[in-house]
Structures are given as C-alpha cells and as structure tokens.
C-alpha cells in the first residue's frame, strides 16, 4: 500500500480489500494483465500447441510416405562386416546415398565409390566435391547425415551407426533420415540394441523391417592382466584416454622410454587424424604405438593389436544438458575395444585390457553386460516451426522461442526433443546483433565447440559483419586470424591452431548457406590445407611442445591445458558428477573464471587445518591470475564478473545472468570479444 510504483486502480482495489469492502478475487484481472505481459503466448496458446505438436513425425515427409520402402537392418558388433554388405548394395545400385556420422566416413565412402568406377559426390557441412568435372550431380552421394536430402529419390540409401538416433544432441538427424529418405531400399547399419526401436518406428509408417544379423569376424579377448607399466608396451598397442591432459602425459612418458607414438584426438583436423593413422599403420615406420581418445571409435582404419584403457570414466552431456562423469557404457566400451584385431589388418585377433589393475575387473563387467535397448529417437524443431512461433510472438528472442517451443512440445514415448543448449547459447550470444530470423537461426545451428572462446568470438564477428551487409572477404578473415601462422612452439599454440582450423571450417560452413556474404571459400580452403600441414608438424613434435609448455609454466603447475572435466582413473563409487550451469547456461563463458576455479578447488586436497574458504579462494584466484597474465581478462572485466556473481538476481535464478547481462552493457558478449 505504501509503494509508489503501484498504479492508482490497483491501489484502490488493495485499499478496498484491506477495509473489507473488496475480495481478493478482485486482484485476478490485474494478475492476468501482468501474466500476459510476461507470458505473451497465453493469447495464442492453442495455435502454439498445434505448431509444436511432434507426435506424428512420419507425416513431415510426404515424399517418403508416397512410396513403399524396403527397410533392411544390418545388425552386429564392430568389425562384423555389416556396413561392408550395405555398401556393396549401395555400389551396385543405379543411384544411392550414404549417410554417416563423420566427415571421415563420408570421405571414405566417396573415395571407395569413385575408385570402383561408381561416380559419387561428397557433401558435408563445409564441403561439396563433385565426381563430374562439370559439377553435374552424380547419381551417388556420400554425406554427413545432417546434410542428406529428403526430397531427392534414390534406389538405395545407407544409414550408418543407427544407434546414434538416441544421441542427446544429434539424434534428430538419424530420425529425419530414417523417416524421410525417399529411397526404394533403406539399409540401416548399427548395434542390435536399435532393432526394436527401428522396427517400432517403421510400424508407424506401414513398413516392415528385415533384420540381418552379423557376428564379429575376428576374435576379441579380454586379457587377465592389466598393463600396469608403459614398459610393457608392444608394437600395435593403442592407449585410449578420455582427456587431452592424459594424452599429453602418456605420450611424453612413452617418448621418455625411447618409443615413438602417434596421437589422435577429437579436435584434430581430419587430415591430421588420417596422417597419424597412416603413420601408425605403416609397417616401415618406427611409430608402433598409438595414443588416442575415443575418436578412433569411428571413421579410421587402424591396425591395432591391443586396446589399453588408460581410464574407464568418461565425460558426457545427458539429455538435460548436464555434464556428467561416469564409467563408460557397454556400447562405448565395445565400440572402442572392437577396433583391435580388425578384419583385414595384420593382426588376426584383438586384445583389450586396462592400464591399471583395479580397473580391469570393472571393464570385464562392462563388456559382459548386454547393451541396453535404444528406447527413443531424437527430434529437433525446424526453421519453419520456429518462424511460425515468431509470427505469434514477434517480441520474443530466438532463445525464448526455443524455450517456449520445447515447453509446449508434445512427443509420444518413441521420441524425445534433443538438447538445444548449444543452440540457445549461440542465440543469446548474437541476440543483440540485428539479423532476420532465418539468418539468425542459421548462425545458431553453426557447428562449433562453445568451450572454444576464440571460435565463439569469431562467430560473433562474422554475425556483426554479416548484419552490416559487408562481405567477409579472404583478407578480412586473414586479418582476424593473423594468418599466416607459424608452427607451434608449445601446447597452447597448438590448441590455438586447432581453434583457427575450426574457424576456417565455420567460414566454409557459412559460405554454403550465404554464398554472397562469404565469397572466398576456395581461398579459405587452400589456407586450411596449409594450416592442416602446420598442425601435423605440431602433432608429430607433440612431446617437444609438452616439454616447452611445462618448462614455461610456473613451478608446481600440473595442468598443461585447462579442461572442463578433470578425470580420475577410477569410477567415483557410482556417483555422478554434474555441472548443470556449465552445460546449460548461455552465460558459460562469462562465468568461466569462477566455475573453472571452483572445479579446480574441488580437486585440490586441503592441508590439515586449512579452511574451505581459503581453498575456494586459492582455486579461483590461481585461474584468474593466469587468465590475467595471458591477457584473456582485464581487472575491470574480473570486477564486473564478480559483481554479476554476487548480484541477488543471479543467485535467485540459479546462476543465470541473462537478465543482468542485458542491463549491464551485455557483459557476456564484451567478455567474449
């Protein structure tokens, strides 16, 4: 009653209630008026529910429903020949499409098809390669699964690694291919665990599934002894790690023993991965040991005798966008272990073990368990659906449109809505840039790692230049990436080169969607190949880079590269470590100083008698000092971040700074830049 911000009419109603002359129900019209301001979708809820109804995905693809397709499921473990048989049918068809999860796999089928005199095009997000010199479309195409066409008719389609239909982030692409490809025969390859779901999905389309089961072509043995020491390594061994720091540590220890090793991990460019694989496979090369992440699980042909798990815990992001650290799943363990003793390689049987004795029993249990059945297929809102939402809610941001869509969406038990946190992160990051909705949507679907500040910064610059209708030329890109670049002298420089390679990928990806605004794709592809060669030099000398990094680091520094997931080598006694804010919050970069510092503090063992506050302060302060020294933060930015962290609205909203960031000069975007 004493508030000066209460409107006159509401003041009268409140006064009447207090005096007994009114009823509390009289407040409802004021509440409703307020609710419609805060939730504008209330006036058009019925229309929004219809738009976000995802219960009948098969109806989205009328071309596929117009024909009677034959579905053949090639089910089997790794190295069973299931994909080989599907590809043979692909090659013998008059026309065909191969859909794979990786650029490397698409490139392999593209190469294999053309080598067999079957003209085949290659289509990925960043590349189009035509078999015909006049750029005329060939009857066969190998593509990454997100790029498959659901309008072009084919005789045969191959969908590889169908079990990824359950992937929290990318599962929608497999659902779209399975339901939407317009082909007379659909050959699906993957784990037997996906058979029941595929059969059930095809029942809703009126199509039957023929299942062909395959067994592994070579034996795989789980050894009774762990490796325990790198002194026990043999030619053909592959040590699998789940963090970059473990990769660096293990490769340096191997080199200290006078052995040469190849290194493969996810953020390496495809060309570098292939070169490292070629080096390891070459019988005349002295390099006989491989250190790798689970990036070897798909897309690379490797002559491995024995897989050695350095750890059996792995970071993941679940359907809710939460980061978790837990033991690897049976499916993951079988995928990785199955790379040993591959059919056609120089090793007729495969072996698998662990680095540490206390992990071996747990690995045996994991490998002996049945792979749980795939229960649901991923879905993702289309640009058309979001545009219809925007028509009804013209004042809502793209991030809010996505939130409203997901909250109102209806799916049946066979489907789930894929995690869209990466999309929302980018939507919030470029919200202040004036773009039309379709262009904004395209920028938000760009494939980038949001944990790479340099790549995020560059996307922001791309969007700003694009909004001014100023073409992003080759010279502009070279200026902002400081090209040409020299060979790396330490790990930090190698990581930066990998980020620059991702920026070039991002430019090429956008160039196929906005050709006029990103006109120099040919020139960028040329320098990307040169950068690939520079990165290969760095990876070949990786142990020297590690030594240079450690010698330059402060005494007592254990980490070479900061990571989001500090891994221990054993399972956390069944506990799951989650960081919801880190995965889901679009302000992840702006609170990185605090979050990473706290993670590090949790991993430090306190001295007897030391206080928790001292420990937290030490953890955060050490990271902040390092970022200040590297020029990634200024004292003013650090002070702003601390003010945001202490803001009461931030605490009440579980750490979300979106509202505060708008009022405080878009702090997050400034921090990124």
């Amino acid at each position: 009653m004493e508030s000066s911000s209460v409107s006159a009419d509401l003041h009268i109603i409140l006064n009447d209630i207090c005096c007994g002359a009114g009823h509390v129900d009289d407040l409802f019209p004021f509440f409703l008026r307020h609710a419609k301001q805060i939730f504008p979708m209330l006036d058009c809820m019925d229309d929004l529910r219809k738009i976000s109804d995802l219960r009948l995905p098969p109806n989205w693809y009328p071309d596929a429903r117009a024909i009677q397709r034959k579905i053949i499921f090639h089910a089997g473990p790794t190295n069973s020949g299931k994909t080989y048989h599907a590809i043979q049918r692909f090659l013998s068809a008059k026309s065909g499409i191969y859909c794979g999860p990786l650029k490397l796999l698409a490139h392999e089928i593209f190469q294999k098809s053309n080598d067999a005199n079957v003209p085949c095009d290659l289509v990925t997000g960043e590349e189009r390669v035509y078999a015909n010199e006049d750029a005329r479309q060939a009857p066969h195409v190998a593509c990454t699964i997100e790029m498959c066409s659901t309008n072009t008719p084919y005789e045969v389609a191959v969908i590889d690694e169908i079990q990824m239909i359950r992937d929290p982030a990318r599962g929608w692409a497999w659902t779209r291919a399975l339901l939407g490809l317009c082909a007379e025969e659909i050959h699906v390859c993957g784990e037997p665990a996906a058979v029941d779901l595929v059969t059930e999905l095809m029942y809703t389309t009126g199509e039957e599934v023929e299942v062909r089961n395959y067994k592994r072509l070579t034996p795989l043995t789980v050894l009774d002894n762990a490796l325990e020491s790198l002194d026990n390594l043999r030619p053909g061994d592959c040590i699998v790690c789940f963090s970059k720091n473990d990769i660096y540590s293990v490769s340096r220890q191997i080199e200290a023993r006078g052995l040469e090793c190849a290194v493969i991990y996810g953020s390496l460019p495809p060309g570098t991965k292939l070169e490292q694989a070629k080096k390891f496979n070459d019988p005349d090369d002295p390099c006989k040991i491989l250190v790798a992440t689970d990036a070897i699980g798909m897309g690379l042909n490797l002559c491995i005798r024995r897989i050695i798990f350095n750890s059996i815990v792995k970071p993941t992001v679940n359907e809710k966008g939460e980061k978790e650290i837990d033991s690897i799943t049976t499916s993951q363990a079988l995928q990785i272990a199955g790379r040993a003793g591959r059919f056609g390689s120089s090793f007729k049987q495969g072996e698998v073990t662990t680095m540490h004795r206390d992990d071996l029993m747990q690995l045996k249990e994991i490998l002996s368990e049945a792979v749980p059945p795939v229960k649901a297929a991923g879905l993702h809102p289309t640009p058309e659906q979001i545009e219809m939402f925007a028509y009804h809610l013209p004042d809502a941001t793209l991030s809010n449109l996505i939130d409203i869509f997901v909250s109102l969406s209806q799916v049946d038990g066979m489907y789930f809505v894929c995690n869209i946190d990466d999309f929302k992160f980018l939507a919030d990051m470029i919200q202040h840039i004036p773009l039309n909705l379709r262009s904004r949507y395209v920028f938000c679907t760009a494939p980038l790692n949001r944990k790479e500040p340099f790549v995020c910064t560059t996307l922001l610059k791309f969007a700003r230049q694009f909004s001014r209708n100023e073409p992003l030329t080759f010279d502009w890109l070279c200026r902002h990436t400081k090209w040409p670049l020299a060979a790396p002298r330490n790990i930090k420089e190698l990581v930066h080169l990998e980020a620059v390679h991702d920026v070039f990928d991002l430019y090429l990806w956008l160039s196929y969607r906005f050709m006029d605004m990103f006109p120099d794709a040919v020139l960028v592809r040329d320098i990307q190949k040169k950068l690939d060669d520079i990165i290969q030099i760095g990876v070949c000398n990786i142990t020297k880079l590690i030594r240079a990094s450690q010698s330059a680091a402060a005494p007592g520094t254990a980490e070479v590269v900061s990571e989001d997931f500090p891994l221990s080598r054993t399972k956390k006694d069944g506990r799951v470590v989650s960081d919801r804010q880190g995965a889901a919050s679009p302000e992840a970069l702006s609170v990185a100083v605090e979050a990473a510092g706290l993670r590090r503090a949790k991993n430090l063992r306190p001295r007897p008698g030391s206080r928790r506050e001292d420990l937290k302060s030490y953890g955060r302060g050490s990271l902040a000092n390092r970022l200040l020294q590297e020029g990634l933060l200024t004292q003013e930015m650090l002070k702003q971040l601390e003010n945001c962290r202490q803001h009461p609205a931030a605490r009440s909203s579980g750490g979300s700074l979106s509202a505060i960031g708008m009022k405080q000069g878009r702090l997050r975007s400034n921090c990124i830049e």
Side-chain angles (χ1 to χ4, degrees), residues 87 448 559 658:
I87 294 302
L448 58 78
E559 286 187 315
S658 55

Side-chain angles (χ1 to χ4, degrees), residues 104 263-265 267-279 300 494 498 501 531-540:
L104 282 174
V263 175
I264 296 174
Y265 51 86
S267 59
L268 285 177
T272 304
K273 289 178 187 173
L274 289 171
E275 282 301 314
Q276 290 291 298
K278 182 179 177 183
K279 178 182 174 74
L300 290 169
L494 176 62
E498 293 166 7
H501 192 281
L531 178 58
D532 204 334
D533 293 337
I534 295 170
I535 293 174
Q536 286 178 38
I537 294 170
V539 173
C540 289

Side-chain angles (χ1 to χ4, degrees), residues 607-634:
R607 298 184 301 277
S610 66
R611 296 185 304 159
R612 183 185 297 268
E613 290 79 6
D614 295 337
L615 187 60
K616 182 189 285 188
S617 173
Y618 169 78
R620 192 183 56 197
S622 63
L623 177 60
N625 288 337
R626 197 177 76 186
L627 292 175
L628 287 168
Q629 290 171 1
E630 293 175 357
L632 298 176
L633 280 179
T634 65

Side-chain angles (χ1 to χ4, degrees), residues 239-243 246-247 250 291-294 308-311 567:
I239 303 175
V240 176
C241 307
F242 294 117
S243 79
D246 285 348
I247 290 270
V250 170
V291 183
T293 62
D294 53 345
I308 302 158
F309 284 90
N310 187 60
S311 167
L567 298 183

Side-chain angles (χ1 to χ4, degrees), residues 34-167:
H34 169 75
K36 287 185 176 181
Q37 289 175 344
I38 303 301
F39 302 105
M41 74 286 283
L42 292 174
D43 281 330
C44 51
M45 188 66 79
D46 290 341
D47 289 335
L48 296 181
R49 286 193 183 280
K50 290 176 183 176
I51 297 168
S52 59
D53 190 340
L54 307 179
R55 287 174 294 183
L56 293 171
N59 293 352
W60 302 349
Y61 308 103
D63 291 344
R65 300 291 76 79
I67 61 174
Q68 189 65 28
R69 305 181 307 170
K70 181 179 180 181
I71 315 297
I72 301 168
F73 196 126
H74 300 265
T78 305
N79 194 24
S80 60
K82 57 184 185 296
T83 306
Y84 169 82
H85 287 90
I87 294 302
Q88 292 305 113
R89 180 67 187 95
F90 166 82
L91 294 174
S92 65
K94 295 177 183 176
S95 63
I97 181 170
Y98 167 85
C99 308
L102 300 172
K103 286 184 281 187
L104 282 174
L105 281 169
H107 194 276
E108 180 184 335
I109 301 304
F110 161 76
Q111 200 72 48
K112 185 177 293 186
S113 183
N114 285 295
D115 289 347
N117 293 320
V118 178
C120 179
D121 296 337
L122 174 68
V123 177
T124 70
E126 302 80 20
E127 190 174 17
R128 307 285 191 283
V129 181
Y130 294 98
N132 299 313
E133 293 182 0
D134 57 357
R136 189 168 33 87
Q137 189 172 328
H140 288 71
V141 60
C143 65
T144 46
I145 194 155
E146 285 87 352
M147 301 304 298
C148 71
S149 168
T150 57
N151 301 319
T152 309
Y154 298 101
E155 182 182 347
V156 169
V158 177
I159 305 174
D160 209 356
E161 306 294 351
I162 187 62
Q163 70 276 0
M164 290 189 71
I165 200 170
R166 66 182 166 204
D167 187 85

Side-chain angles (χ1 to χ4, degrees), residues 7-42:
S7 61
D9 53 352
L10 180 56
H11 193 280
I12 293 169
I13 294 292
L14 289 170
N15 188 65
D16 287 348
I17 293 171
C18 292
C19 296
H23 192 273
V24 291
D25 288 355
D26 297 338
L27 289 172
F28 183 75
F30 297 92
F31 165 74
L32 187 61
R33 183 177 67 189
H34 169 75
K36 287 185 176 181
Q37 289 175 344
I38 303 301
F39 302 105
M41 74 286 283
L42 292 174

Side-chain angles (χ1 to χ4, degrees), residues 549-559 626 629:
S549 297
Q550 291 180 337
S551 62
T557 302
E559 286 187 315
R626 197 177 76 186
Q629 290 171 1

